[in-house]
Amino acid sequence: AKRRDRAVLTISMGQGQDDAARRLVQTAVTQGCWVLVQNGHLGLGLMEQLEEMMARFEDVPTGFRLWITSQPHDRFPLGLLKRSTKVADEPPRGVRARLKRMYATMPPELLDAASQPADRKALYALAFMHSVVQERRSGFRAPYDFGPSDWLPAARGPGR
């Protein structure tokens, strides 16, 4: 969007955001900008309306792009999926691959802040634990998605 000098309007679905998201999409259509609707699986009613809206387009309005992030859901409208370009972000297999991915996506300031050897060891231990939990989570009695929202505050430590 930056390279193409396009505005990106963003909204996260959930807790009654359907009307606001619908207005945002309509604004993006009329202004020819991009819109990102996050957590589409939480707004299935809106997804059905978007499916109908996209079916009515004879041509996509110039400059308009609709991006939707979603977790898989049985009731997600198939017509919307068929009209879309889909991108899947599959987690890597194996603890080593997960560790590599963790370090590749880790904020650089987090690594810079770990200047002492003990800090780097603690960060590695946390990354290793996260990778193991992610790899083995299907074996747990209750599945738990230990994601960046969990490990990042732990890595930053108290008071940071």
Side-chain angles (χ1 to χ4, degrees):
K2 285 183 182 180
R3 283 189 282 143
R4 296 180 184 206
D5 197 30
R6 295 280 181 204
V8 179
L9 310 174
T10 306
I11 190 162
S12 293
M13 297 306 296
Q15 299 202 359
Q17 290 292 89
D18 285 15
D19 290 335
R22 188 180 314 99
R23 286 192 303 272
L24 206 62
V25 170
Q26 289 169 345
T27 300
V29 169
T30 57
Q31 294 180 0
C33 54
W34 294 11
V35 64
L36 170 62
V37 178
Q38 297 173 326
N39 301 321
H41 59 283
L42 298 178
L44 295 173
L46 174 70
M47 296 301 115
E48 291 170 2
Q49 293 172 5
L50 290 176
E51 178 183 27
E52 293 169 9
M53 181 190 295
M54 297 301 142
R56 287 192 304 262
F57 283 155
E58 291 186 22
D59 291 319
V60 176
T62 305
F64 170 71
R65 295 292 182 272
L66 173 62
W67 300 83
I68 302 171
T69 66
S70 179
Q71 292 182 2
H73 196 287
D74 293 340
R75 290 188 31 231
F76 199 92
L78 291 178
L80 188 57
L81 286 173
K82 288 179 182 177
R83 284 186 171 77
S84 304
T85 301
K86 291 156 282 304
V87 178
D89 184 21
E90 294 290 328
R93 296 279 179 214
V95 173
R96 183 178 179 171
R98 289 179 189 274
L99 267 172
K100 282 182 163 182
R101 184 175 186 187
M102 280 267 319
Y103 274 95
T105 59
M106 203 175 284
E109 61 271 7
L110 190 60
L111 288 170
D112 294 340
S115 57
Q116 300 297 318
D119 294 339
R120 289 198 180 268
K121 287 179 183 179
L123 189 60
Y124 175 79
L126 181 63
F128 183 78
M129 183 193 77
H130 174 265
S131 300
V132 169
V133 167
Q134 288 294 302
E135 186 65 22
R136 307 286 184 245
R137 71 177 172 201
S138 61
F140 294 138
R141 176 174 267 198
Y144 178 71
D145 187 24
F146 185 67
S149 62
D150 297 307
W151 68 260
L152 195 55
R156 288 192 172 131
R160 289 188 195 168

